[in-house]
Amino acid sequence: MKILVTGGLGYIGSHVTTLLLEKSVDVISVDNLENSRIEVLDGIKEITGKQPIFKQLDIRDENALKNLFKDHTDIDGVIHFAAYKAVGESVKQPLRYYHNNIVGLLNLLNSIAKIGIPLIFSSSCTVYGQADKLPIKESASILPAASPYGYSKQVGEQFVKDTCKAHKNFNAILLRYFNPIGAHPSVKIGEQPQGVPQNLVPFLTQTAIGKHPVLKIFGSDYDTPDGTCIRDYIHVMDLAEAHINSLEYLISSKNTSKCETFNVGTGKGVSVLEVIQTFEKVSGKKVPYQFTEPRDGDTVAAFADVEMIEQKIGWKAKYTLEEALKNAWDWEKNH
Ligand code: NAD
Ligand code: UFG
């Protein structure tokens, strides 16, 4: 089997790639390296003893993408990660986010829909906006997105659904991730964003190691037990496994409709302060933090109802928050 992974050297894409290679699946990985590094290929090779076919390519370049499919006519499926992902940044740079997340997806759909290559699309729990009922079920209403990033995922989901309707051989799965954290347990790959991290855990580990003087907690007065936002933090290896199971489900035609949607989370809500306390416990490091204003675009609380993916795909998160934070910390120290 041969799978195309877009954004394949990024955080989630690189972890999924290791699992695919370990299952003897051939991987074509494309990435423009805007938020990743070519050295990730070395980490993948050290873990698996294999390498994907890698092409540095920007998926906004429609011709480059078309040529890729001309050169590789035997692709059995696509896992699409290539996009921008920072909620707060998207509020400041909406057009940059819309351009990348939407044009890239349209180009990809144009290349695969007619020939019926199945797709796994990286969506996000941000599509729910601030859900009024927790845990969030897939059937929850899609409320106005709290950020341009969230809106780009709502629109992206709709594009994929409409394309499935229009092309009888084209099927897809939308995976709505909650908050991926941690690193491969070998700590040969992990989360290594370019520039200052926007996400909580990489900023936290970088603060603990001394790269930043203090971690800012965005908001102290939310309507939650300790006043900080609540998220569902899922180990990136669990998330990666969910892709493998979803791909097997889709490729072996076990899907019950042309486009199915699944939450991927642990089902547990954890506050920002609880993340910091758990990190301090597993690392033995004190993390300096200060409360600041809430961040634009943030929702108060989000955690997943995971019954659907468990029942239909047979996937369930295995790692604990402690393990995920320990791997994140070991990765920070080692790379
Ligand atoms: P990441 O930034 O680490 O990986 C994305 C990769 O795509 C990067 O390597 C980047 O260089 C590449 N890329 C971006 N635009 C590209 C383009 N136009 N052409 C080619 N390559 C391009 O992000 P990630 O955390 O691995 O996220 C992967 C996907 O999952 C994204 O679609 C993101 O929106 C989604 N997602 C992420 C999270 C999260 O918290 N990490 C949560 C929910 C959904
Ligand atoms: N936070 C801080 N300080 C920081 C960074 C984050 O207090 O320096 C807080 C945020 O306010 C939020 C929580 O930590 O309450 C988590 O924030 P992240 O930026 O780590 O994650 P988000 O929930 O904002 O978004 C992430 C990804 C999105 C994805 C979403 C799914 O960036 O791509 O998870 O829930 F869609």
Side-chain angles (χ1 to χ4, degrees):
M1 203 192 308
K2 193 181 264 184
I3 300 297
L4 171 67
V5 181
T6 73
L9 296 195
Y11 175 42
I12 306 170
S14 58
H15 289 79
V16 169
T17 298
T18 63
L19 292 189
L20 288 169
L21 292 173
E22 278 166 357
K23 286 189 168 281
S24 298
V25 173
D26 292 334
V27 178
I28 305 175
S29 172
V30 301
D31 202 300
N32 66 359
L33 301 181
E34 199 177 334
N35 199 33
S36 53
R37 295 170 173 77
I38 195 73
E39 293 75 26
V40 173
L41 283 173
D42 300 332
I44 291 173
K45 189 163 183 201
E46 281 179 50
I47 294 167
T48 63
K50 298 174 192 165
Q51 268 200 347
I53 300 166
F54 176 70
K55 201 157 172 56
Q56 186 170 347
L57 180 155
D58 193 308
I59 60 160
R60 283 166 292 192
D61 181 345
E62 192 172 10
N63 284 331
L65 206 51
K66 279 193 175 143
N67 286 334
L68 181 90
F69 282 95
K70 270 191 205 140
D71 292 344
H72 300 275
T73 50
D74 53 349
I75 294 173
D76 298 293
V78 177
I79 309 183
H80 176 46
F81 295 108
Y84 296 144
K85 63 166 176 177
V87 172
E89 189 180 65
S90 79
V91 177
K92 297 190 182 108
Q93 305 173 0
L95 297 180
R96 183 170 160 255
Y97 268 68
Y98 290 138
H99 188 250
N100 198 28
N101 294 8
I102 289 174
V103 174
L105 174 64
L106 286 178
N107 287 345
L108 186 66
L109 289 172
N110 265 324
S111 289
I112 63 176
K114 279 192 205 119
I115 42 178
I117 300 178
L119 171 72
I120 310 273
F121 175 65
S122 295
S123 189
S124 161
C125 69
T126 50
V127 298
Y128 295 116
Q130 182 50 66
D132 39 24
K133 219 169 147 213
L134 294 167
I136 308 173
K137 281 186 186 296
E138 287 84 349
S139 56
S141 320
I142 300 297
L143 300 173
S147 67
Y149 167 74
Y151 188 56
S152 79
K153 292 292 177 187
Q154 290 182 343
V155 171
E157 285 196 358
Q158 194 60 47
F159 289 170
V160 176
K161 281 184 199 159
D162 291 344
T163 312
C164 283
K165 267 189 212 147
H167 295 274
K168 70 174 185 335
N169 293 327
F170 179 62
N171 294 282
I173 285 183
L174 312 173
L175 292 181
R176 292 180 179 157
Y177 316 154
F178 283 65
N179 288 53
I181 59 165
H184 193 280
S186 69
V187 293
K188 295 190 189 302
I189 54 171
E191 188 166 14
Q192 200 180 3
Q194 299 279 16
V196 177
Q198 309 280 321
N199 291 115
L200 176 63
V201 171
F203 200 96
L204 170 69
T205 57
Q206 289 193 6
T207 306
I209 213 156
K211 285 188 190 160
H212 311 289
V214 66
L215 168 71
K216 291 179 183 157
I217 299 182
F218 302 134
S220 56
D221 207 12
Y222 283 106
D223 185 15
T224 61
D226 66 20
T228 64
C229 291
I230 290 176
R231 296 286 183 275
D232 181 339
Y233 294 93
I234 173 170
H235 196 297
V236 67
M237 292 307 292
D238 274 332
L239 177 60
E241 191 77 43
H243 287 78
I244 306 299
N245 292 15
S246 303
L247 193 68
E248 281 168 1
Y249 173 85
L250 191 58
I251 286 185
S252 56
S253 303
K254 291 188 187 135
N255 49 321
T256 51
S257 70
K258 286 176 67 56
C259 185
E260 288 184 272
T261 306
F262 297 102
N263 284 338
V264 195
T266 65
K268 295 184 199 86
V270 178
S271 74
V272 176
L273 275 175
E274 285 170 329
V275 170
I276 297 172
Q277 284 153 7
T278 309
F279 175 83
E280 290 184 338
K281 197 175 85 193
V282 299
S283 67
K285 284 282 225 185
K286 272 269 162 234
V287 181
Y289 64 80
Q290 72 187 43
F291 292 104
T292 65
E293 286 303 299
R295 183 172 66 176
D296 281 347
D298 268 345
T299 53
V300 183
F303 54 96
D305 184 311
V306 285
E307 211 180 302
M308 179 111 89
I309 191 163
E310 211 179 313
Q311 278 180 4
K312 285 188 132 182
I313 299 204
W315 172 89
K316 195 175 185 294
K318 298 186 195 98
Y319 287 86
T320 61
L321 179 65
E322 282 79 3
E323 287 167 324
L325 290 171
K326 168 110 186 27
N327 289 156
W329 177 231
D330 288 343
W331 161 249
E332 185 67 58
K333 286 186 293 181
N334 287 357
H335 81 271

